[in-house]
């Protein structure tokens, strides 16, 4: 079985269990300042897990592209990835532990589906603590489907407890592992006794409590299930491979890198293999980010900075393999070809993907030249040091200011008889990361579960802004992404020139006029085709026939409206709740994309 078949089988299985198939969402989270990317399949569903009604019903399934950036530096080993796919299924107040666990076990072990060996499966459940009891219910369900007692590990909250934030919905989870050691697992072996040979493939979260404070948990009246299975890992197991990089998900990409690296054959040199894996992962991640329907471009901050780092790290490892010319766009072509079927947006945005990669690669090569020139300038002073040591601070400054990698500073230093204080470099890097995290923490108030009134007001303001821009600048304007926190909004849109002062003022006036008119905000559920027929704006990445929420701002949602968009919400009830809208800045975001930063103040309180 290959990844495409696994993806299809998963969706087919949950369809057979009366789950509605929904569309995976953008990699760029909408209106959630706590994260830069969608990090898990459940991320776009948080509002529904927190109580909003989903237009498709109470049983859902999908596949979702995800980016996790916390361990970029770990990528290069056989298992870590920054970009991965999550297969998910959800129960929103419908079934609970019995059905969830039974579904998972049936899909994994039934000959009709994956047919994995039950002897090689083990699970973990929540061990209990002073706040919540041991999850005997989940353990009993596992035993009822045939899981031996010695394959059930009871682990603490750090392993088997999920929470939306410091307060709010939370609950125990059960994780499913597959044996990747030799032969069959010995008696008594499970994740609790042998973490090295058990690979996690699936996590079922049971949201059954509401955390009021640190020590107070209340049972939720409506319990939810949120599950996620890692496609690449499960695919690897199904094929009996020792690494995700040995599957068809990565092999065509790796072959292309080998061709570009003067015919290098993967598997013949450990150090070069690591570089190949880094390029394969980072190129794939960059393609998915650039090709996303709300795709960002390389930048100095935020998601754009992560993208830049991924591209530059890949280029650096290309140099290590002896690839002297620009190569990222050629690797990207293979990624687009491999993934355009499940993710058609990659094919639609391929020209942008290739041009941005080529631009960033050329820029980085120029940066490296500048770094080398700066090093040569510093050399006379460095030569005065009798110990012939380049300090960690100097090396880190070259990296931070010029993007000059540590290993290249070491190479240049060695050519001139110097060593580099690597520990000093790491210390300078650690201090910088801590400062960055502190700054990010200040921005990301409230975390993933935050649904603050101010954020809700900003969300509705983006709809007014989008329509005002169309009225002033024309139909070529289309939203490319937005980011909201409790202090400001950022809105990116397609337009090929800077706005004039008069245009900016006119847009601001229209938005404020609609706020003063106190227009009602109406939500209706309809199919995507019905939404299109009514003239609703959307990125239209949802599946054919799928039910969607349509928010209309106007006196009558069918005959007298100002704005109509397909959107997940939340929104104000009427526009006077928003307050005064002010455009603070209009600037370039990337080629053909402009960015508006705006604030709101005052407004009526939200109801209910």
């Amino acid at each position: 079985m290959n990844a495409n078949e696994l993806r299809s089988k998963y969706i087919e299985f949950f369809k057979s269990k009366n789950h509605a198939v929904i569309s995976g969402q953008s990699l760029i989270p909408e209106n959630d300042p706590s994260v830069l990317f969608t990090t898990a399949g459940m991320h776009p569903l948080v509002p529904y897990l927190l109580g909003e009604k989903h237009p498709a019903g109470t049983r859902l399934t999908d596949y979702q592209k995800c980016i996790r950036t916390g361990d970029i530096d770990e990528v290069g080993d056989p298992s870590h990835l920054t970009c991965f796919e999550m297969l998910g299924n959800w129960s929103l107040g419908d079934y609970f532990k019995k059905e969830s666990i039974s579904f998972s076990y049936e899909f994994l072990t039934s000959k009709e589906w994956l047919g994995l060996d039950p002897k090689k499966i083990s699970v973990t459940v929540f061990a209990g603590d002073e706040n919540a009891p041991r999850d005997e219910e989940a353990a009993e369900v596992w035993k009822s489907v045939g899981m031996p007692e010695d394959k059930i590990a009871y682990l603490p909250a750090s392993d088997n407890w999920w929470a939306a934030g410091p307060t709010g919905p939370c609950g125990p989870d059960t994780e499913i592992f597959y044996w990747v050691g030799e032969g069959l697992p010995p008696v008594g072996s499970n994740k609790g006794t042998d973490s090295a040979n058990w690979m996690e493939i699936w996590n079922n979260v049971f949201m059954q409590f509401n955390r009021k404070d640190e020590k107070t948990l209340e049972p939720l009246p409506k319990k939810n299930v949120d599950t996620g299975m890692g496609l690449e890992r499960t695919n690897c197991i199904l094929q009996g491979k020792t690494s995700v990089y040995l599957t068809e998900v990565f092999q065509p990409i790796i072959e292309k890198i080998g061709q570009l690296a003067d015919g290098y054959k993967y598997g013949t040199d450990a150090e070069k293999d690591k570089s190949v894996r880094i390029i394969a992962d980072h190129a794939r991640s960059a393609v998915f980010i650039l090709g996303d329907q709300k795709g960002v471009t390389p930048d100095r901050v935020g998601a754009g900075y992560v993208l830049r780092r991924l591209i530059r790290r890949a280029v650096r490892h290309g140099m290590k393999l002896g690839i002297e010319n620009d190569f990222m766009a050629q690797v990207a072509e293979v990624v687009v070809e491999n993934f355009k079927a499940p993710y058609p947006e990659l094919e639609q945005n391929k020209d942008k993907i290739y041009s941005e990669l080529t631009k960033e690669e050329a820029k980085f090569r120029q940066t490296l030249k500048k770094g080398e020139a700066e090093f040569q300038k510093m050399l006379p002073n460095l030569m005065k040091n009798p110990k012939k040591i380049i300090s960690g601070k100097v090396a880190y400054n070259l990296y931070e200011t010029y993007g000059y990698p540590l290993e290249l500073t070491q190479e240049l230093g060695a050519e001139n008889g110097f060593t580099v204080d690597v520990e000093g470099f790491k210390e300078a890097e650690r201090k910088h990361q801590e400062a960055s995290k502190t700054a990010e923490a200040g921005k990301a108030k409230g975390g993933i579960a935050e649904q603050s009134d101010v954020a809700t007001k900003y969300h509705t303001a983006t709809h007014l802004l989008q329509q005002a821009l169309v009225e002033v600048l024309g139909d070529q304007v289309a939203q490319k992404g937005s980011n909201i926190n409790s202090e400001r909004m950022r809105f990116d849109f397609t337009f090929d020139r800077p706005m004039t002062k008069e245009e900016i003022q006119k847009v601001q006036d229209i938005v404020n006029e609609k706020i003063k008119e106190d227009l009602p905000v109406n939500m209706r559920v309809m199919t995507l085709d019905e939404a299109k027929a009514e003239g609703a704006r959307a990125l239209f990445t949802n599946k054919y026939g799928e039910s969607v929420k349509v928010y209309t701002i106007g006196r009558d949602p069918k005959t007298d409206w100002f704005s109509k968009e397909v959107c997940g919400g939340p929104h104000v009830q009427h526009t006077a709740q928003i307050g005064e809208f002010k455009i603070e800045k209009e600037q370039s975001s990337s080629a053909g994309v402009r960015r508006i930063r705006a604030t709101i103040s005052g407004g009526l309180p939200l109801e209910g």
Side-chain angles (χ1 to χ4, degrees):
M1 190 182 298
N2 63 34
N4 288 336
E5 290 165 335
L6 171 58
R7 198 186 292 110
S8 298
K9 266 192 180 289
Y10 186 92
I11 298 297
E12 187 189 337
F13 174 81
F14 281 99
K15 264 177 80 176
S16 77
K17 305 296 183 186
N18 301 315
H19 288 63
V21 182
I22 60 170
S23 301
Q25 297 300 304
S26 169
L27 268 176
I28 314 301
E30 189 171 10
N31 308 324
D32 183 358
S34 64
V35 285
L36 297 173
F37 296 102
T38 295
T39 59
M42 54 73 67
H43 201 144
L45 285 156
V46 165
Y48 308 106
L49 293 167
L50 296 177
E52 266 196 61
K53 285 191 174 175
H54 196 285
T58 57
R59 294 187 178 201
L60 312 171
T61 187
D62 76 356
Y63 58 89
Q64 173 70 48
K65 51 189 174 178
C66 304
I67 295 279
R68 283 188 191 164
T69 59
D71 51 9
I72 285 179
D73 293 326
E74 303 299 316
V75 171
D77 68 11
S79 64
H80 276 88
L81 299 171
T82 47
C83 177
F84 61 95
E85 291 185 65
M86 195 69 90
L87 304 169
N89 66 282
W90 292 270
S91 163
L92 305 176
D94 193 317
Y95 60 81
F96 205 44
K97 295 179 188 178
K98 183 175 186 294
E99 294 88 345
S100 175
I101 289 171
S102 301
F103 289 158
S104 299
Y105 195 66
E106 180 186 348
F107 181 67
L108 288 170
T109 61
S110 165
K111 297 287 182 222
E112 186 188 346
W113 300 104
L114 298 194
L116 289 172
D117 185 351
K119 295 190 188 73
K120 291 189 172 185
I121 294 174
S122 75
V123 299
T124 61
V125 297
F126 176 54
D129 58 23
E130 68 276 13
N131 295 321
R134 180 158 124 155
D135 195 356
E136 296 290 0
E137 185 185 353
E140 288 306 314
V141 177
W142 276 119
K143 289 173 195 171
S144 75
V145 299
M147 186 65 60
E149 178 78 56
D150 71 335
K151 291 285 193 301
I152 302 172
Y154 296 88
L155 297 183
S158 55
D159 293 284
N160 283 89
W161 187 270
W162 180 88
T167 58
C170 58
D173 63 20
T174 182
E175 296 182 345
I176 307 172
F177 295 82
Y178 199 75
W179 176 257
V180 291
E182 290 293 318
L184 289 172
V187 174
S189 177
N190 57 46
K191 179 66 177 176
T193 61
D194 177 3
S195 62
N197 287 306
W198 290 99
M199 182 188 281
E200 182 194 344
I201 54 173
W202 207 334
N203 185 10
N204 296 27
V205 175
F206 306 123
M207 295 170 61
Q208 65 187 94
F209 296 105
N210 177 50
R211 187 186 293 283
K212 291 194 76 179
D213 55 46
E214 211 174 294
K215 302 214 168 176
T216 314
L217 293 174
E218 295 178 339
L220 282 171
K222 194 174 96 168
K223 299 175 173 65
N224 298 323
V225 178
D226 152 38
T227 87
M229 171 191 261
L231 179 134
E232 291 85 357
R233 283 183 177 185
T234 308
N235 187 49
C236 178
I237 281 165
L238 287 166
Q239 295 179 18
K241 307 284 189 189
T242 55
S243 163
V244 293
Y245 292 97
L246 296 174
T247 68
E248 84 292 345
V249 172
F250 282 101
Q251 277 299 297
I253 307 170
I254 283 171
E255 282 169 21
K256 183 64 179 180
I257 295 164
Q259 288 168 18
L260 293 164
D262 204 22
Y264 174 69
K265 189 158 177 53
Y266 183 73
T268 55
D269 180 294
E271 199 52 40
K272 286 185 176 178
D273 284 353
K274 183 177 178 181
S275 289
V276 170
R277 288 193 291 267
I278 288 169
I279 297 166
D281 170 84
H282 288 8
R284 180 170 175 250
S285 301
V287 166
F288 271 76
I289 295 169
L290 284 163
D292 189 83
Q293 55 266 45
K294 292 184 188 170
V296 297
T297 50
D299 202 344
R300 288 173 296 179
V301 293
Y305 175 73
V306 174
L307 172 61
R308 171 165 284 170
R309 190 176 167 206
L310 288 165
I311 296 168
R312 292 186 170 194
R313 192 165 185 246
V315 172
R316 220 169 73 217
H317 281 274
M319 291 171 159
K320 278 186 159 188
L321 292 173
I323 306 174
E324 291 177 11
N325 300 318
D326 290 354
F327 69 92
M328 287 291 284
Q330 293 178 67
V331 177
E333 286 175 14
V334 180
V335 179
V336 170
E337 188 59 35
N338 271 21
F339 294 97
K340 67 183 183 184
Y343 298 105
E345 64 270 20
L346 301 183
E347 174 78 10
Q348 291 156 16
N349 296 318
K350 64 181 182 182
D351 291 342
K352 174 196 169 187
I353 294 168
Y354 305 151
S355 84
E356 288 292 342
L357 284 172
T358 302
K359 249 189 330 194
E360 185 59 30
E361 186 167 3
K363 198 183 284 183
F364 183 46
R365 290 180 190 276
Q366 281 299 111
T367 293
L368 292 179
K369 281 182 189 168
K370 282 182 192 167
E372 190 162 344
E374 187 62 22
F375 180 86
Q376 294 301 334
K377 266 196 239 169
M378 291 161 52
L379 198 54
N381 274 336
L382 291 171
M383 295 298 279
K384 292 172 188 172
N385 180 347
K387 292 183 179 174
K388 290 287 189 115
I389 295 173
I390 298 171
S391 76
K393 193 175 174 185
V394 165
Y396 187 72
N397 188 51
L398 278 170
Y399 170 69
E400 181 58 25
T401 309
Y402 300 98
Y404 207 73
L406 172 64
E407 55 266 34
L408 292 188
T409 301
Q410 287 175 302
E411 279 177 31
L412 273 179
E415 285 168 14
N416 293 277
F418 287 89
T419 56
V420 176
D421 176 8
V422 176
E423 285 308 310
F425 177 92
K426 287 178 182 171
E427 178 62 19
E429 185 176 44
R430 187 183 62 75
K431 282 181 181 171
H432 176 79
Q433 285 170 347
E434 277 178 14
S436 298
K437 280 178 185 169
T438 304
E440 279 302 314
K443 277 195 244 170
K445 295 170 185 170
I448 197 169
E450 182 183 356
Q451 297 287 338
S452 75
D453 286 359
V454 180
T456 299
K457 291 178 180 187
Y458 272 119
H459 192 166
T460 307
T462 64
H463 286 220
L464 294 175
L465 175 59
Q466 160 92 343
Q467 187 57 36
L469 285 165
V470 170
E471 292 200 357
V472 173
L473 303 178
D475 281 334
Q476 72 266 45
V477 168
Q479 181 178 343
K480 287 298 287 179
S482 66
N483 182 276
I484 286 168
N485 60 33
S486 57
E487 291 157 7
R488 57 100 185 116
M489 65 180 275
R490 193 190 74 209
F491 187 89
D492 292 354
F493 60 98
T494 52
F495 198 58
D496 56 6
R497 64 167 173 80
M499 291 173 67
T500 65
K501 282 183 184 174
E502 292 74 21
E503 287 168 338
I504 292 169
Q505 188 62 49
K506 200 168 177 187
V507 167
Q508 182 174 293
D509 290 346
I510 290 172
V511 173
N512 281 317
E513 181 188 315
K514 297 305 169 187
I515 291 170
K516 280 176 190 158
E517 285 178 25
D518 198 16
L519 300 172
V521 180
N522 173 281
M523 189 281 285
R524 290 175 296 148
V525 175
M526 60 185 77
T527 67
L528 191 59
D529 284 353
E530 288 167 340
K532 285 182 184 178
E534 284 201 6
R537 295 190 180 279
L539 292 165
F540 295 129
T541 55
N542 299 62
K543 291 180 172 62
Y544 176 79
E546 189 173 340
S547 291
V548 294
K549 286 183 175 181
V550 176
Y551 281 87
T552 307
I553 303 173
R555 298 287 171 209
D556 186 298
K558 290 190 176 176
T559 61
D560 180 14
W561 49 271
F562 175 71
S563 162
K564 188 178 290 190
E565 286 194 40
V566 173
C567 180
H571 288 281
V572 301
Q573 293 93 355
H574 49 99
T575 57
Q577 292 172 320
I578 295 171
E580 188 180 355
F581 175 84
K582 187 177 181 202
I583 294 175
E584 303 287 352
K585 197 171 190 182
E586 190 273 351
Q587 64 191 121
S588 170
S589 170
S590 60
V593 178
R594 306 297 297 175
R595 172 170 291 171
I596 280 176
R597 295 179 189 273
T599 56
I600 55 174
S601 56
L604 300 175
L606 268 61
E607 299 147 18

